[in-house]
């Protein structure tokens, strides 16, 4: 039986009257960079200057072995010439999904700027040296958490706290920890972008970049 109907409670919330005003400037095809990575960098520049919370947060979509999509927020750490990077636990659910199917989606949403960037790409693990280099730049407390947490597995608070205490004990003489083998980065090689600019009257500007014969084709999409 449907568990929501079985509970016999009204759990819905009517959000139909929540409307945003999209007052940001128009996006013209002539203003777009031919290279979508330049376009992404210029939008990121503005998001960074706008002092937003989590400007580099992106929703990462993966698909499990049953074809069920999952999504969760991660932080983009680099924009490269052909993709972006993020870091996580290599035994987490998302990593298991990627092992099985490296195709991922990423979605950046800067609500204060009425902007969304949708990305499609293919993930691969970064080298151990690259993961180690980033891990070394993290504060000690983040390193300890990465070491101690079996991300995505069922646990309880005491197990987590004792795992943290064990890691502290094991590395008590060090002020930086080595990167654990089950933690590291992914490089998402991008083959499609969509830049979305919210506009008044809902005639939002959408531009897709897709690769065809190694060339980026830019197309306007209906909103
Ligand atoms: C603002 C924000 C930033 C996050 N950044 C990361 C990140 O960079 N890497 C990561 O593994 N999880 C990050 N998380 C936690 C993930 O959303 C998620 O809970 C975790 O990775 C487990 O996901 P999984 O079980 O689907 O693998 C972040 C969450 C939030 C809200």
């Amino acid at each position: 039986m449907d568990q929501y109907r079985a509970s016999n409670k009204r759990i819905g919330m009517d959000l139909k009257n929540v409307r945003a005003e999209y007052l940001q400037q128009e996006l013209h095809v002539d203003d777009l960079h031919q290279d979508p990575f330049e376009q992404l960098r210029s939008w990121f520049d503005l998001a960074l200057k706008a002092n937003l919370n989590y400007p580099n947060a992106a929703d990462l979509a993966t698909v499990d072995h049953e074809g069920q999509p999952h999504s969760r927020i991660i932080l983009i750490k680099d924009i490269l010439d052909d993709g972006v990077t993020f870091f996580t636990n290599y035994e987490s659910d998302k990593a298991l999904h990627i092992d099985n199917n490296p195709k991922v989606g990423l979605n950046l949403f800067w609500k204060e700027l009425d902007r969304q960037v949708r990305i499609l790409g293919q993930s691969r693990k970064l080298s151990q040296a690259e993961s180690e280099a980033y891990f070394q730049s993290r504060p000690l407390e983040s390193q300890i958490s990465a070491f101690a947490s079996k991300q995505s597995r069922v646990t309880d608070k005491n197990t987590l706290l004792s795992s943290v205490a064990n890691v502290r004990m094991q590395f008590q003489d060090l002020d930086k920890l080595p990167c654990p083998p089950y933690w590291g980065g992914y490089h998402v090689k991008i083959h499609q972008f969509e830049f979305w600019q919210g506009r008044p009257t809902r005639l939002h500007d959408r531009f897709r970049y897709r690769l065809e014969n190694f060339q980026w084709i830019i197309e306007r999409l209906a909103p």
Side-chain angles (χ1 to χ4, degrees):
M1 190 200 285
D2 182 329
Q3 58 177 316
Y4 293 104
R5 261 189 284 160
S7 75
N8 209 19
K9 277 192 208 139
R10 189 175 150 73
I11 54 169
M13 189 174 169
D14 186 351
L15 299 172
K16 289 191 281 301
N17 289 324
V18 179
R19 288 187 208 285
E21 281 304 317
Y22 301 94
L23 299 174
Q24 309 289 342
Q25 55 185 306
E26 209 170 329
L27 190 59
H28 293 282
V29 69
D30 300 341
D31 300 333
L32 295 172
H33 291 274
Q34 262 319 110
D35 178 351
F37 290 93
E38 285 302 317
Q39 188 62 36
L40 183 63
R41 280 189 203 100
S42 75
W43 276 27
F44 246 110
D45 278 346
L46 193 71
L48 293 172
K49 284 192 194 115
N51 224 1
L52 310 178
N53 275 343
Y54 303 116
N56 57 334
D59 194 15
L60 168 76
T62 56
V63 175
D64 72 16
H65 65 286
E66 290 177 340
Q68 169 70 57
H70 297 243
S71 81
R72 81 292 279 156
I73 302 294
I74 51 84
L75 297 176
I76 291 179
K77 291 294 172 177
D78 282 300
I79 304 175
L80 306 168
D81 288 344
D82 63 349
V84 293
T85 65
F86 70 91
F87 290 83
T88 193
N89 184 305
Y90 283 154
E91 293 171 1
S92 64
D93 280 357
K94 73 181 87 48
L96 301 182
H97 301 164
I98 290 171
D99 283 349
N100 188 48
N101 175 359
K103 291 178 182 165
V104 299
L106 282 165
N107 191 337
L108 288 141
F109 176 44
W110 295 303
K111 69 179 165 55
E112 293 81 354
L113 304 173
D114 295 329
R115 283 180 172 179
Q116 168 181 237
V117 182
R118 293 168 65 177
I119 288 172
L120 298 180
Q122 182 103 0
S123 319
R124 64 161 174 82
K125 284 181 180 163
L126 293 181
S127 70
Q128 220 209 309
E130 289 168 306
S131 293
E132 184 75 56
Y134 173 65
F135 194 78
Q136 288 314 315
S137 73
R138 304 185 85 204
L140 180 63
E141 289 308 311
S142 310
Q143 294 184 331
I144 292 173
S145 302
F147 236 102
S149 165
K150 292 188 190 309
Q151 193 178 54
S152 315
R153 305 286 74 83
V154 174
T155 188
D156 57 67
K157 194 78 187 203
N158 287 340
T159 308
L160 267 178
L161 293 178
S162 77
S163 177
V164 166
N166 286 342
V167 172
R168 279 191 207 285
M169 182 103 80
Q170 191 185 345
F171 297 105
Q172 57 186 324
D173 300 331
L174 302 181
D175 51 3
K176 286 279 178 188
L177 271 54
C179 181
Y182 47 84
W183 195 93
Y186 283 96
H187 173 256
V188 179
K189 185 169 178 176
I190 301 174
H191 60 263
Q192 187 168 301
F193 288 87
E194 182 196 316
F195 292 86
W196 184 100
Q197 174 73 66
R199 300 283 303 136
T201 71
R202 276 23 182 199
L203 281 182
H204 310 305
D205 292 321
R206 296 178 66 188
F207 290 99
R208 178 173 66 195
Y209 292 71
R210 64 179 171 82
L211 269 181
E212 197 175 285
N213 299 325
F214 307 102
Q215 296 273 349
W216 287 106
I217 311 291
I218 305 178
E219 292 159 317
R220 180 184 274 276
L221 301 178

